[in-house]
Amino acid sequence: MATVISVRGGAEPDIWHGLSAAYLGLTVVYGHSTLRWADQKFAKRFGETPAGPTPEPLYGRQAIAAAWRSWLRFLLAYTLSVSLTAALVALTGDSQDSGPLLVWLNPLTKILIYSLIWPVITTLRPGRPPQPQPDSAGS
């Protein structure tokens, strides 16, 4: 909000305004789940509950679905961040002044593309459940 007020008030847009748009997009999408995870870890550490956060599945259809859900969540965060950046560019009204705002689109786009590797690989090779080991106590 301060970024919009700052830019609307005539401040020169800089790299930090672009960072705040990226940060806000990521926080809106990941903030709640991050706090829930931290609360579960805290509760386990201090004995309020016996179990911590549920780990993601490592194999099978659940692993494929979890990988794609994770990527789609980042796609949502990316879309929100890009939309906020575009709104800031529109507020500046001058495309030459908005260059520093657009700097953050490059790393966000790279992360979006690179993070697509994991769901694709998980879909192609979802992994197998662990095989039970033969009981060696009788030998």
Side-chain angles (χ1 to χ4, degrees), residues 7 14 18 20 22 35 48 56 64-66 84 87-88 90 94 98 100 102 109 115 117 124 127 129 135:
V7 171
D14 59 10
S20 67
L35 287 175
E48 293 176 18
E56 292 289 333
I64 295 169
L84 291 168
L88 286 173
D94 187 9
S98 60
L102 301 174
T109 304
S115 66
I117 293 170
L124 297 175
D135 189 18

Side-chain angles (χ1 to χ4, degrees), residues 17-69:
H17 290 105
L19 174 63
S20 67
Y23 178 76
L24 185 59
L26 292 166
T27 301
V28 166
V29 174
Y30 289 104
H32 180 73
S33 61
T34 301
L35 287 175
R36 187 174 359 120
W37 173 85
D39 286 345
Q40 290 172 345
K41 293 290 267 188
F42 183 87
K44 180 182 179 189
R45 168 70 173 93
F46 292 101
E48 293 176 18
T49 62
T54 308
E56 292 289 333
L58 299 176
Y59 52 86
R61 289 181 187 257
Q62 290 100 359
I64 295 169
W68 282 106
R69 262 193 317 273

